[in-house]
Amino acid sequence: MRLLLIEDDLDLVRILKRDLEKAGYAVDVAHDGIEGEYLGNEGIYALAVLDLGLPQRNGLEVLKNWRNRQNALPVLVLTARDAWYEKVDGFKAGADDYLGKPFHSEELLARISALIHRAHQQPGGQLQVGGLILDENHQRVTTETGLSYELTGLEFKLLRYFLLHPGQVISKSTLAEHIYDFDSDKDSNVIEVYVNHLRRKLGKHRFETRRGQGYVFKEQVE
């Protein structure tokens, strides 16, 4: 999944980008409100982590502008401000969740996971689809027969995206868009290789190839 981090504290950005990437997310960063608002309108992100105290355009204005454009991007707001009324203003502007600074990365990751699950109408906690249980904390998948497999970073990113979009035709370019950030070389051939890795571990029948279109994760297999 690809996330947008809008934060001007460079030390915090370095820490959060490292922790988010370790958790299997591709992360793009904007350091001011104008760039962040523009990127958030691109329609390529699963979620935005938005600081309120941004230069050039504050986070609350960015959020209001997104919602005025009917942009439904899930947004987790970060702020160093403790006043309850500022949190209320954020929720009224369209925030989906709020986290005050300072915070632990584990809490941020848990909140991000919950928001992404909710956005895809999946229950919180472990991701369970089509008989598979994906442990996002340890990047491990368990089948309905109890077999458990450790996943490489790219296998995990791909499988999580498939489980959040069961039954949908997903092109290689879409997969590349959501597992790589702007600074990465997007290689669709690599995606094909790792989809085949997942097929060997979990069964070829789960990942249908649609020629000229992409792949479909089959939640129910006949």
Side-chain angles (χ1 to χ4, degrees), residues 105-151:
S105 291
E106 290 82 0
E107 181 178 2
L108 175 66
L109 290 170
R111 289 175 179 269
I112 287 173
S113 178
L115 285 175
I116 290 175
H117 287 198
R118 187 189 311 162
H120 292 86
Q121 299 181 333
Q122 297 285 350
Q126 290 182 319
L127 191 56
Q128 302 184 46
V129 183
L132 301 179
I133 301 174
L134 184 63
D135 182 338
E136 295 175 82
N137 291 327
H138 299 95
Q139 300 189 10
R140 180 188 302 123
V141 62
T142 302
T143 70
E144 62 268 56
T145 61
L147 293 175
S148 186
Y149 298 96
E150 301 289 337
L151 300 171

Side-chain angles (χ1 to χ4, degrees), residues 7-19:
E7 170 63 65
D8 64 322
D9 184 329
L10 298 183
D11 289 334
L12 182 58
V13 165
R14 177 179 52 80
I15 293 169
L16 293 183
K17 194 170 191 296
R18 178 199 66 197
D19 291 345

Side-chain angles (χ1 to χ4, degrees), residues 2 7 11 13 25 35 41 43 52 61 65 67 76 91 99 107 113 115 135-136 143 148 156 170 178 180 186 194 202:
R2 190 169 178 177
E7 170 63 65
D11 289 334
V13 165
Y25 297 104
E35 181 187 15
N41 283 322
L52 287 189
E61 186 178 354
N65 290 343
R67 298 314 187 221
L76 192 160
F91 282 121
L99 188 57
E107 181 178 2
S113 178
L115 285 175
D135 182 338
E136 295 175 82
T143 70
S148 186
F156 171 71
I170 307 172
H178 282 276
Y180 295 118
K186 301 174 178 62
Y194 279 89
L202 304 175

Side-chain angles (χ1 to χ4, degrees), residues 22 24 139 151-160 179 194:
K22 186 177 179 181
Q139 300 189 10
L151 300 171
T152 66
L154 199 50
E155 288 171 351
F156 171 71
K157 290 180 182 181
L158 285 170
L159 184 58
R160 178 168 56 186
I179 65 174
Y194 279 89

Side-chain angles (χ1 to χ4, degrees), residues 1 24 127 134 151-165 170-172 174-180 188 190-198 207 215 217:
M1 308 298 290
L127 191 56
L134 184 63
L151 300 171
T152 66
L154 199 50
E155 288 171 351
F156 171 71
K157 290 180 182 181
L158 285 170
L159 184 58
R160 178 168 56 186
Y161 196 83
F162 278 125
L163 295 185
L164 288 169
H165 301 83
I170 307 172
S171 67
K172 289 183 183 178
T174 296
L175 288 170
E177 192 173 78
H178 282 276
I179 65 174
Y180 295 118
S188 62
V190 170
I191 290 174
E192 184 174 351
V193 168
Y194 279 89
V195 168
N196 286 331
H197 287 184
L198 291 174
F207 304 93
Y215 303 101
F217 174 77

